[in-house]
Amino acid sequence: MAVTLTENAAQHVRRSLDKRGHGAGLRLGVRTSGCSGMAYVLEYADQVAPEDSVFESHGVKVLVDPKSLVYLDGTVLDYTREGLNEGFRFQNPNQKETCGCGESFSV
């Protein structure tokens, strides 16, 4: 099981953690939401919970809780800029459908 960051995503997270001045890594999870059923949840984590799975990519830790890992296994997280838009992009092999706005997915 693994969740990885591209080099661009790792650089963005590292810069953000440096700007915050603290943090253990990036917490990635899922929650029930949206028209397709599930939505990604991203936040900076200040500590690792005992039940977290910890993956490291390009020197940055990604923390995933056990319930979310089932839906996120194999996911690659990228950070892209396209014109005025920038943000994280998820390449999730478990994802079967997304809603029209791209905010939620189903497995």
Side-chain angles (χ1 to χ4, degrees):
M1 298 188 116
V3 175
T4 57
L5 300 174
T6 65
E7 191 168 342
N8 282 341
Q11 288 175 357
H12 178 76
V13 172
R14 195 175 308 109
R15 282 191 304 266
S16 296
L17 288 171
D18 289 346
K19 189 182 287 186
R20 288 178 83 225
H22 63 284
L26 182 70
R27 181 172 300 285
L28 175 60
V30 295
R31 64 179 166 85
T32 303
S33 177
C35 51
S36 289
M38 304 191 95
Y40 296 106
V41 177
L42 283 171
E43 62 186 6
Y44 295 106
D46 291 331
Q47 54 188 329
V48 178
E51 68 274 6
D52 285 339
S53 292
V54 180
F55 306 98
E56 192 164 328
S57 294
H58 306 283
V60 174
K61 291 180 182 173
V62 180
L63 315 172
V64 182
D65 68 88
K67 290 180 183 177
S68 295
L69 187 56
V70 173
Y71 303 105
L72 297 173
D73 183 33
T75 296
V76 176
L77 187 58
D78 192 13
Y79 191 83
T80 61
R81 290 183 181 182
E82 295 174 7
L84 297 175
N85 298 319
E86 63 182 283
F88 288 103
R89 303 270 176 170
F90 299 88
Q91 298 167 15
N92 184 344
N94 305 301
Q95 179 177 305
K96 301 297 182 214
E97 295 179 337
T98 60
C99 68
C101 65
E103 293 296 319
S104 62
F105 69 99
S106 63
V107 292

